[in-house]
Amino acid sequence: MSILLAVILPVFLVIGAGGLAARRGAISAAGVDGLMRFSQGIAIPCLLFKAMATLNLGQDFDVRLVATYYTGSLACFLIGTLAARRLFGRDWEDSVAIGFVALFSNSLLLGLPITERAFGSGSTSANFAIIAFHSPFCYAVGITAMEIARAHGHPPHSIPAKILRAIFSNALIVGILLGLIVNLAGLPIPTVADEALDMLIRAALPTALFGLGGVISRYRIEGDLPTILFTLALSLLLHPAIAWSLGSAFALPQDAFRSVVVTAAMAPGANAYLFAAMYGRAMRVAASCVLLGTALSILTAAGWLALLP
């Protein structure tokens, strides 16, 4: 209970405050959208830029860490896609959208603040190493699978261009790439620019969490309950279990092990719904998974944290 109160509950109270404000009309739908555009289009890219620019690549980047997290992520995508098709009778395009829900954990808005609150700000280097690959990997997998499912005679050579356009139009990915360029080139960040970045960074996670609550408040859990529960079991239980097993097998350092398990245990992120909406497939399942998964992760994340050293 102390873990729940001290670490997880404050994060979800901010999300809940955003949801309550949106429901009560204290902030309009346009205001919520503005907060999310600010946080995801400006503040969080600045956060990722600074993190990537100052990351010690030789010390913090570990192939074992990336392999541990993304093996579990890809396994959940494949199982979710095949189960949606074979077990729940969805067509291939719906199935890919459902698989994407199991693929895309909320590594940034939930995984990062929960890891920081649980283990301290110095314990999040592995989180940023995971986040650096998260959107590029997930969108590359999801878009590739969806475009193959949608091909129906279209030339396969058009698929790579669609994937690249979708990836490099994402502000989060642009922030990551620019930060890596600065890091690899050894370029200093001027003091004035660094202080301005820090001001934006301090606003990034609170505004994103508050805005996420406003976005979630728009959805209702409707229908397809077996599909929703199965997909959430992959996200909240199977993915962290795989991460725990592989992290133990690879003998990950303690901070990296904690980060990979916590990140894998997070609910599906809002991008899971955005991906479904982009293709107009399985949107109700995706929205319900984001809503119910975020609520359930209060309990499941507390359980995984209690098991961690």
Side-chain angles (χ1 to χ4, degrees), residues 67-69 71-73 75-76 79 234 237-248 264 304:
T68 295
Y69 180 84
T71 297
S73 186
C76 289
I79 294 170
L234 298 179
L237 301 176
L238 181 61
H239 192 183
I242 293 173
W244 188 295
S245 300
L246 291 179
S248 300
W304 287 108

Side-chain angles (χ1 to χ4, degrees), residues 105-189:
S105 298
N106 201 335
S107 61
L108 188 59
L109 300 189
L110 294 182
L112 184 61
I114 287 174
T115 302
E116 184 174 6
R117 288 190 59 80
F119 306 114
S121 58
S123 65
T124 57
S125 294
N127 291 66
F128 285 112
I130 293 169
I131 290 167
F133 293 93
H134 197 234
S135 289
F137 175 85
C138 292
Y139 274 104
V141 169
I143 293 170
T144 300
M146 184 63 83
E147 292 300 333
I148 290 172
R150 287 162 52 96
H152 302 308
H154 293 290
H157 62 75
S158 65
I159 294 176
K162 292 180 180 179
I163 296 169
L164 291 174
R165 276 198 302 271
I167 289 175
F168 289 104
S169 62
N170 188 307
L172 304 179
I173 296 172
V174 172
I176 290 168
L177 291 177
L178 290 176
L180 287 174
I181 290 170
V182 169
N183 190 318
L184 294 171
L187 299 174
I189 302 175

Side-chain angles (χ1 to χ4, degrees), residues 11-307:
V11 173
F12 285 96
L13 282 176
V14 177
I15 296 173
L20 182 63
R23 284 183 177 275
R24 296 286 185 179
I27 183 170
S28 66
V32 171
D33 292 339
L35 274 180
M36 294 304 287
R37 281 196 297 271
F38 165 74
S39 62
Q40 296 199 336
I42 298 173
I44 291 177
C46 287
L47 167 68
L48 295 176
F49 169 80
K50 178 75 177 287
M52 292 301 108
T54 57
L55 192 67
N56 186 331
L57 295 175
Q59 176 182 323
D60 297 323
F61 178 78
D62 190 333
V63 173
R64 297 173 300 169
L65 170 74
V66 175
T68 295
Y69 180 84
Y70 288 105
T71 297
S73 186
L74 185 59
C76 289
F77 171 76
L78 294 173
I79 294 170
T81 300
L82 292 174
R85 176 65 179 153
R86 304 298 183 192
L87 189 60
F88 301 112
R90 309 297 287 248
D91 64 32
W92 277 114
E93 292 178 40
D94 269 14
S95 298
V96 170
I98 291 167
F100 192 88
V101 175
L103 174 73
F104 205 105
S105 298
N106 201 335
S107 61
L108 188 59
L109 300 189
L110 294 182
L112 184 61
I114 287 174
T115 302
E116 184 174 6
R117 288 190 59 80
F119 306 114
S121 58
S123 65
T124 57
S125 294
N127 291 66
F128 285 112
I130 293 169
I131 290 167
F133 293 93
H134 197 234
S135 289
F137 175 85
C138 292
Y139 274 104
V141 169
I143 293 170
T144 300
M146 184 63 83
E147 292 300 333
I148 290 172
R150 287 162 52 96
H152 302 308
H154 293 290
H157 62 75
S158 65
I159 294 176
K162 292 180 180 179
I163 296 169
L164 291 174
R165 276 198 302 271
I167 289 175
F168 289 104
S169 62
N170 188 307
L172 304 179
I173 296 172
V174 172
I176 290 168
L177 291 177
L178 290 176
L180 287 174
I181 290 170
V182 169
N183 190 318
L184 294 171
L187 299 174
I189 302 175
T191 302
V192 174
D194 193 40
E195 291 178 358
L197 279 173
D198 286 341
M199 291 174 67
L200 287 169
I201 287 168
R202 284 193 292 271
L205 292 178
T207 55
L209 291 171
F210 190 90
L212 179 63
V215 171
I216 289 176
S217 71
R218 301 172 183 174
Y219 305 133
R220 301 291 183 271
I221 300 170
E222 298 177 327
D224 303 304
L225 192 59
T227 306
I228 294 165
L229 293 177
F230 183 89
T231 306
L232 289 179
L234 298 179
S235 292
L236 301 178
L237 301 176
L238 181 61
H239 192 183
I242 293 173
W244 188 295
S245 300
L246 291 179
S248 300
F250 290 147
L252 285 177
Q254 186 178 68
D255 278 353
F257 184 82
R258 289 168 169 170
S259 292
V260 76
V261 172
V262 170
T263 305
M266 293 300 101
N271 277 284
Y273 173 74
L274 296 178
F275 180 85
M278 183 168 68
Y279 288 102
R281 309 297 302 203
M283 293 168 62
R284 186 170 64 181
V285 172
S288 297
C289 283
V290 172
L291 174 59
L292 183 58
T294 301
L296 288 177
S297 62
I298 297 175
L299 301 176
T300 57
W304 287 108
L305 282 174
L307 293 173

